[in-house]
C-alpha cells in the first residue's frame, strides 16, 4: 500500500509522523542500548544484572517513556 493511498483513507499526516517517530525511536533505542550498555557496564552485563540486548517490546516501552518525558518537559517550559 502506497503512502498516497494511506493518506486518502482519511488518516491525518500527523498520525503517520508520530508513528514514524516512534518506530525511529525504537530503532535508535535498540541500537544505543546494544552499543553503549555492554561497553559502559561490562561486569553488570556478564553478571546478568543488566541485559546486553533488549527486546522490541522493551524498546517500544522505552520509546513511549522518552516521548512522555519530552512532552512533560515541553509543557512545563511553556
Amino acid at each position: 500500500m502506497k503512502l498516497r493511498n494511506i493518506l486518502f483513507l482519511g488518516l491525518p499526516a500527523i498520525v503517520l509522523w508520530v508513528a514514524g517517530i516512534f518506530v525511529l525511536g525504537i530503532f535508535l533505542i535498540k541500537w544505543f542500548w546494544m552499543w553503549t550498555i555492554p561497553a559502559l557496564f561490562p561486569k553488570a552485563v556478564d553478571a546478568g544484572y543488566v541485559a546486553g540486548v533488549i527486546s522490541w517490546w522493551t524498546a517500544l516501552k522505552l520509546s513511549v517513556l522518552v516521548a512522555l518525558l519530552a512532552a512533560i518537559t515541553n509543557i512545563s517550559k511553556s
Side-chain angles (χ1 to χ4, degrees), residues 37-47:
I37 298 302
L40 293 175
F41 308 107
K43 291 182 181 178
V45 172
D46 291 339

Side-chain angles (χ1 to χ4, degrees), residues 55-73:
S55 67
W56 290 104
W57 178 245
T58 305
L60 172 67
K61 291 188 287 186
L62 285 172
S63 179
V64 170
L65 177 67
V66 168
L68 288 174
L69 290 175
I72 290 170
T73 303

